Amino acid sequence: MSALAYVNGTITPLAEARLPLLDRGVFFGDGVYDTLFSINGRLHAPERHFRRLAHSLHETGIGAISIEEIESALAELSGRCEHRDVDFYIQVTRGVQPARAHTWKEEPRPTLIITAQERHDLPAEHYARGVTLFSHTDLRWGRCDIKSVNLLPNVMARQKAAAAGGYDALLVRDGHVTEGSGSSVLIVEEGVLVAPPLSYEILPSITREIVLELAREAGVPVRLERRTLEQYIQADEAMVLSTKVGVLPVRAIDSVELPTERPLIERLRALYQETVQALAE
Ligand code: PLP
């Protein structure tokens, strides 16, 4: 038994976990989530992930649960894991109602779900060769800063990219690139690291936050500006960032190959990996 789930205080093997049908997460996607990982039993950047989860909870008004409660459930689940390198998925829904209804009179008790699965690195080849992205219209809602479980537009875009052999979709809204369907995507232009400014259009990615800090500390110029799809395709370097994969080079966008020399990505990836490696020591 390796993968585990915690649902409102009950820990079971992941495949046996159950949720009541009347949970608002089922009917309305009324919930938020976050993901983080541990190496050697130690969490990577937990304070950043819990700060973002608190933002998602606050902005959706899912109030009757505290971050302390979530942290202690995570610690309990982590203590039951047989693995030390673990991907955790935390979801909080608004809870279970007596019948399906959009509104509620009394706020239900939120449902807390945490899953734990052994963490595996992507094959080294992905990092050496880079991955491909396919552009897609950004069909998401107006509050992408909230890590909502409503992921239908993300799923549709990513499935299309995957069917074409890509790693992720590169989302484009009103002529500018926002992010990937499950990742941030940054580019390098003449030695400058370029990222879209934080806004309601993108998720405040924790990996991006860390990489931008590391870049600034290393004296790399950073520009927070929007860019068109054409500018992404013409970039000197492009990288996908996420908790799941860290810093992953992009080889091609819409079948156009990017340069194979990636000096800044290699530097930033090494700096980021140091923050992960520090947990193992
Ligand atoms: N953007 C979206 C839409 C995501 O779903 C994710 C990860 O789930 C990211 C960006 C990357 O965020 P993080 O670095 O916090 O994993």
Side-chain angles (χ1 to χ4, degrees), residues 50-60 143 145-146 204:
F50 284 118
R51 187 194 62 218
R52 183 171 65 184
L53 183 55
H55 170 78
S56 297
L57 289 167
H58 180 262
E59 293 301 297
T60 48
R143 287 302 304 271
D145 59 308
I146 298 170

Side-chain angles (χ1 to χ4, degrees), residues 14-243:
L14 178 58
E16 289 169 26
R18 294 287 176 268
L19 194 64
L21 179 63
L22 283 163
D23 192 285
R24 292 183 60 88
V26 176
F27 285 128
F28 300 109
D30 187 356
V32 298
Y33 76 106
D34 218 294
T35 61
L36 75 172
F37 64 91
S38 70
I39 298 292
N40 194 23
R42 296 158 74 188
L43 294 169
H44 188 251
E47 64 299 333
R48 296 178 195 258
H49 287 278
F50 284 118
R51 187 194 62 218
R52 183 171 65 184
L53 183 55
H55 170 78
S56 297
L57 289 167
H58 180 262
E59 293 301 297
T60 48
I62 300 175
I65 189 162
S66 69
I67 290 297
E68 292 70 32
E69 215 175 307
I70 299 170
E71 278 178 315
S72 81
L74 180 65
E76 189 186 340
L77 185 64
S78 180
R80 296 274 290 275
C81 286
E82 62 189 40
H83 303 291
R84 307 278 290 160
D85 297 355
V86 179
D87 281 322
F88 293 103
Y89 169 92
I90 304 171
Q91 177 173 323
V92 185
T93 78
R94 204 177 300 275
V96 178
Q97 280 181 300
R100 182 184 182 276
H102 285 66
T103 55
W104 59 93
K105 288 199 184 69
E106 275 178 39
E107 194 178 345
R109 194 167 63 85
T111 299
L112 174 58
I113 300 164
I114 310 178
T115 69
Q117 291 181 270
E118 188 180 11
R119 182 174 173 86
H120 297 288
D121 288 335
L122 282 188
E125 180 204 321
H126 282 62
Y127 294 96
R129 292 188 64 211
V131 294
T132 58
L133 303 178
F134 287 95
S135 61
H136 194 285
T137 306
D138 192 340
L139 297 170
R140 299 173 303 161
W141 69 326
R143 287 302 304 271
C144 297
D145 59 308
I146 298 170
K147 210 161 163 51
S148 150
V149 297
N150 286 270
L151 291 173
L152 189 54
N154 308 56
V155 166
M156 288 164 64
R158 189 152 192 174
Q159 182 58 25
K160 218 165 158 184
Y167 171 75
D168 199 357
L170 183 62
L171 303 178
V172 181
R173 184 186 290 252
D174 301 332
H176 59 271
V177 170
T178 52
E179 58 185 336
S181 79
S183 53
S184 296
V185 187
L186 310 191
I187 56 170
V188 179
E189 292 175 339
E190 295 176 356
V192 179
L193 183 59
V194 181
L198 290 182
S199 71
Y200 284 171
E201 288 188 350
I202 61 171
L203 183 77
S205 149
I206 302 302
T207 320
R208 163 194 151 122
E209 182 178 294
I210 295 170
V211 165
L212 291 181
E213 280 175 21
L214 292 169
R216 289 188 175 110
E217 279 164 23
V220 175
V222 173
R223 208 169 283 155
L224 298 183
E225 287 174 8
R226 288 173 173 169
R227 290 288 183 267
T228 62
L229 175 60
E230 202 48 42
Q231 287 170 312
Y232 264 64
I233 290 174
Q234 285 166 5
D236 299 323
E237 305 176 52
M239 69 198 93
V240 161
L241 307 178
S242 76
T243 300

